Amino acid sequence: MARKNSGGFGETIRTVVYAVLIAVVIRTFAYEPFNIPSGSMKPTLLIGDYLFVSKFSYGYSRFSLPFSPNIFSGRILGGEPQRGDVAVFKKPTDNQTDYIKRIVGLPGDTIQVVGGILQINGTPVTREEVGTYTDDDGRVYTRYIETLPNGVKHPILETSDHEFLDNTAPYLVPPGHYFAMGDNRDNSQDSRVMSDVGFVPAENLIGRAEFLFFSTDGTAGWLEPWKWFGAIRYDRLFQAVR
């Protein structure tokens, strides 16, 4: 005897609801996608990069949840950021804007920039010039490899060592806070600008950038599908963020 179909529409609704719930759980507790809208992290991250951020790396705060509901304070199940991590966080001065920068200062550190060179606890970090970097607009930067005290090596760009944020006062990182800087050192609003960003509370951390899953150079609009494949930066796909 044939079984009567008890409602294909209801089954479809349940499937959609389950899919949405799974997506929310993954976004909240595992990985969340972000895109890069500015050049403050060049050459590590480019405008048009899309990446996944691991939410579990630093534990969870209210900013881990959709719409950041103020239902609890602090962090739970938290791991500590390491010096050199590329982290996404809510900008401390508005608790709404997503920022992505590199963690260079840990709680208790004294951070200063002198003549363009980052100093951590009074010791200049090692910086090796490795050539130049030409931006899309033709602007040429000096490219360096910076080595942080824990051995993490990463590229930075400098216009010169005489720009606005190349000589700062010392910053003493408070307990439970971090100091973050962009790799594009002369084109980054970061913890050096106390009135705009300042120290990053641990609660504001969203997660650690892990890998790129897509990248486009911006030459193709949504209404220009014939240009889409030519705009993809294929050499950046599925690259780890370091």
Side-chain angles (χ1 to χ4, degrees):
M1 181 176 177
R3 202 164 110 190
K4 187 176 178 182
N5 190 330
S6 60
F9 180 73
E11 186 65 30
T12 300
I13 293 297
R14 281 194 294 272
T15 300
V16 170
V17 170
Y18 291 154
V20 170
L21 289 176
I22 291 170
V24 169
V25 168
I26 291 174
R27 180 190 181 279
T28 301
F29 298 105
Y31 292 96
E32 183 174 354
F34 286 87
N35 74 290
I36 305 301
S38 78
S40 69
M41 281 296 292
K42 290 180 179 180
T44 304
L45 298 173
L46 306 180
I47 297 172
D49 281 349
Y50 290 76
L51 53 86
F52 279 119
V53 169
S54 60
K55 305 291 285 290
F56 50 83
S57 296
Y58 307 140
Y60 307 97
S61 73
R62 67 186 181 95
F63 295 112
S64 303
L65 305 175
F67 310 111
S68 305
N70 193 12
I71 57 178
F72 69 98
S73 61
R75 302 195 73 82
I76 58 175
L77 305 175
E80 297 293 331
Q82 301 299 306
R83 206 188 307 276
D85 283 1
V86 177
V88 173
F89 57 90
K90 292 293 184 182
K91 187 170 78 164
T93 52
D94 67 14
N95 289 333
Q96 295 180 355
T97 308
D98 293 328
Y99 265 37
I100 184 165
K101 307 290 181 185
R102 190 177 297 276
I103 301 295
V104 298
L106 306 179
D109 282 346
T110 297
I111 303 296
Q112 187 174 15
V113 181
V114 179
I117 297 177
L118 173 65
Q119 296 195 2
I120 301 176
N121 297 322
T123 302
V125 301
T126 301
R127 189 183 75 166
E128 179 187 1
E129 184 175 340
V130 292
T132 59
Y133 177 92
T134 303
D135 213 340
D136 295 336
D137 60 5
R139 190 173 184 179
V140 179
Y141 299 85
T142 304
R143 180 174 178 142
Y144 298 91
I145 296 297
E146 188 175 77
T147 304
L148 298 174
N150 60 348
V152 171
K153 296 178 182 289
H154 64 96
I156 63 170
L157 301 180
E158 290 277 8
T159 302
S160 78
D161 288 333
H162 310 288
E163 305 301 314
F164 178 65
L165 294 173
D166 279 335
N167 288 281
T168 72
Y171 304 93
L172 178 59
V173 185
H177 291 70
Y178 298 88
F179 199 93
M181 293 175 63
D183 289 348
N184 191 355
R185 290 290 165 81
D186 295 323
N187 294 278
S188 174
Q189 290 284 102
D190 50 41
S191 291
R192 293 171 291 177
V193 186
M194 286 288 147
S195 61
D196 187 53
V197 182
F199 302 117
V200 181
E203 183 179 47
N204 285 52
L205 295 168
I206 295 174
R208 184 178 64 208
E210 297 291 350
F211 66 93
L212 305 175
F213 65 88
F214 187 70
S215 184
T216 175
D217 63 14
T219 58
W222 286 109
L223 301 179
E224 300 175 308
W226 61 91
K227 294 183 180 180
W228 289 354
F229 290 103
I232 297 172
R233 300 185 183 109
Y234 293 96
D235 61 328
R236 296 186 64 77
L237 302 186
F238 309 112
Q239 296 295 309
V241 177
R242 294 287 183 263

